[in-house]
């Protein structure tokens, strides 16, 4: 036993080179086994794109890769040491290192398999939720189609109803205009010479418009030109009728031009 320790502590040059060669061979053997395990892990079928769930696994693999790179760098920088020349001791040391590496790789493989199983369960659950969403979508789509079919029918009936209401409104408007014309023509006719003398008009030879004509001009201007509904009061407008419209709140003067008036927008 003392002789073996003396050989280990003070090896000659040939023994050092031989030990270095044996160590490199063992390292290559270990790397072959590591690559085989790595290929076996990669040969497992993937589960497709899972989004952020792959990030923890990627970080773990990156960390292990960095650790292995650091170990390789340490071994490269470390000066080779002589191994025991006794084959039994050398075999025992190499078996111990190999067993340790195998245990670490098996632990890594077990962790990856557990993570994969968890991801498969998550995928199954998400598929169930997606199927429920599809079912809700189909139900809502069928209801929407039924509603659209009913809408076509109701739209046709609504168009008929609106057309009837428009026709009724037009007839009612004509009736109101006839009543207005009859009332105004009866009570506010075109000024005659007698009415001019009674009102004390200075320009009795002028031909004035009737109140109905003035109202028609104001109404047409109000509907045709909403941005400028004012009408100029010229010599054809009898002043008493203009004053009547202003006093009764039917017409308004322009705030800056008193010779222009407009109809009060009762329709707004």
């Amino acid at each position: 036993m003392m002789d073996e320790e003396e050989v280990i502590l003070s090896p000659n040059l040939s023994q050092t080179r031989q030990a270095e060669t044996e160590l490199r061979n063992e390292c290559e053997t270990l790397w072959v086994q590591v690559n085989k395990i790595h290929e076996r892990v990669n040969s497992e079928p993937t589960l497709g794109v899972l989004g952020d769930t792959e990030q923890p696994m990627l970080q773990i693999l990156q960390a292990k890769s960095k650790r292995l790179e650091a170990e390789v760098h340490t071994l490269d920088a470390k000066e080779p040491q002589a191994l025991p020349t006794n084959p039994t001791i050398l075999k025992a040391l190499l078996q111990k290192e190999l067993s340790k590496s195998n245990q670490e790789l098996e632990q890594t493989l077990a962790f990856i398999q557990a993570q994969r199983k968890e991801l498969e369960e998550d995928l199954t659950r998400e598929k169930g939720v997606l199927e429920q969403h599809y079912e809700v979508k189909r139900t809502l789509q069928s209801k929407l189609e039924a509603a659209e079919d009913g809408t076509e029918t109701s739209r046709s009936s609504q168009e008929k109803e609106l057309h009837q209401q428009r026709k009724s409104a037009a007839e009612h408007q004509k009736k109101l205009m006839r009543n207005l014309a009859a009332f105004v023509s009866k009570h506010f006719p075109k000024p005659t010479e007698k009415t001019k003398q009674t009102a004390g008009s200075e320009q009795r030879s002028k031909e004035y418009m009737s109140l109905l004509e003035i109202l028609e001009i104001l109404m047409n201007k109000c509907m045709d030109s909403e941005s400028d509904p004012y009408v100029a009061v010229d010599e054809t407008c009898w002043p008493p009728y203009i004053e009547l419209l202003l006093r009764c709140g039917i017409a308004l003067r322009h705030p800056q031009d008193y010779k222009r008036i407009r109809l009060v927008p009762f329709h707004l």
Side-chain angles (χ1 to χ4, degrees):
M1 187 66 179
M2 292 294 295
D3 295 335
E4 293 178 358
E5 292 178 353
E6 290 177 356
V7 172
I8 295 174
L9 294 175
S10 58
N12 54 28
L13 182 60
S14 61
Q15 290 176 342
T16 302
R17 292 179 178 177
Q18 182 180 0
E20 182 179 354
T21 303
E22 293 177 357
L23 179 60
R24 290 184 180 277
N25 293 335
E26 293 296 334
C27 290
E28 291 178 358
T29 304
L30 290 175
W31 272 114
V32 170
Q33 294 180 358
V34 169
N35 290 331
K36 288 182 179 180
I37 296 176
H38 185 68
E39 291 176 358
R40 188 175 65 180
V41 172
N42 290 335
S43 64
E44 296 291 337
T46 58
L47 298 177
V49 180
L50 298 176
D52 296 336
T53 56
E54 291 184 351
Q55 295 301 323
M57 287 301 305
L58 180 60
Q59 293 175 359
I60 292 172
L61 294 177
Q62 289 177 349
K64 287 187 176 293
S65 177
K66 290 180 180 179
R67 183 174 63 82
L68 292 175
E69 290 178 358
E71 292 179 357
V72 172
H73 180 72
T74 302
L75 292 175
D76 291 339
K78 185 177 180 181
E79 295 183 358
Q81 297 180 357
L83 293 174
T85 57
N86 190 332
T88 304
I89 298 175
L90 181 60
K91 182 178 180 181
L93 291 174
L94 294 177
Q95 286 180 349
K96 183 178 179 181
E97 292 295 330
L98 181 60
S99 176
K100 182 179 178 181
S101 299
N102 288 337
Q103 289 178 359
E104 292 179 354
L105 292 174
E106 288 176 356
Q107 292 176 359
T108 303
L109 180 61
F111 177 78
I112 293 174
Q113 290 176 347
Q115 187 71 19
R116 177 185 176 183
K117 183 178 180 181
E118 182 179 354
L119 294 177
E120 288 177 348
E121 294 176 354
D122 293 342
L123 180 60
T124 303
R125 183 169 56 255
E126 292 296 331
K127 285 182 178 179
V129 174
L130 182 61
E131 184 62 27
Q132 293 178 0
H133 289 173
Y134 281 148
E135 184 65 25
V136 172
K137 179 182 177 181
R138 286 192 292 267
T139 303
L140 293 177
Q141 190 172 2
S142 61
K143 290 184 178 181
L144 180 62
E145 291 176 356
E148 288 178 353
D149 294 339
T151 302
E152 293 296 333
T153 305
S154 61
R155 184 180 301 173
S156 177
S157 60
Q158 289 178 357
E159 289 178 355
K160 292 180 180 180
E161 184 178 357
L162 290 175
H163 182 71
Q164 185 66 28
Q165 291 178 357
R166 179 181 178 183
K167 185 177 180 181
S168 301
E171 294 177 355
H172 184 65
Q173 181 184 7
K174 290 180 181 180
K175 182 179 179 181
L176 291 177
M177 294 302 295
R178 286 195 297 267
N179 293 337
L180 176 63
F183 177 82
V184 173
S185 299
K186 178 179 179 181
H187 298 281
F188 302 96
K190 181 181 293 188
T192 60
E193 291 297 331
K194 183 177 180 180
T195 54
K196 294 177 185 178
Q197 294 175 2
T198 304
S201 176
E202 296 179 356
Q203 297 178 353
R204 297 171 184 171
S205 60
K206 295 289 183 181
E207 185 70 22
Y208 293 113
M209 292 187 296
S210 64
L211 181 59
L212 180 61
E213 293 174 339
I214 297 175
L215 289 174
E216 288 180 354
I217 294 174
L218 290 174
M219 286 189 292
N220 292 332
K221 186 67 173 178
C222 181
M223 298 303 296
D224 296 340
S225 180
E226 295 183 1
S227 59
D228 185 21
Y230 289 92
V231 176
V233 179
D234 54 14
E235 297 177 353
T236 60
C237 297
W238 195 36
Y241 281 167
I242 301 299
E243 188 67 23
L244 175 65
L245 295 175
L246 295 173
R247 287 180 178 272
C248 293
I250 300 175
L252 296 173
R253 286 192 185 277
H254 195 281
Q256 298 178 356
D257 188 358
Y258 74 97
K259 291 185 178 181
R260 300 178 66 192
I261 63 174
R262 63 164 295 179
L263 186 69
V264 175
F266 298 104
H267 61 289
L268 298 180

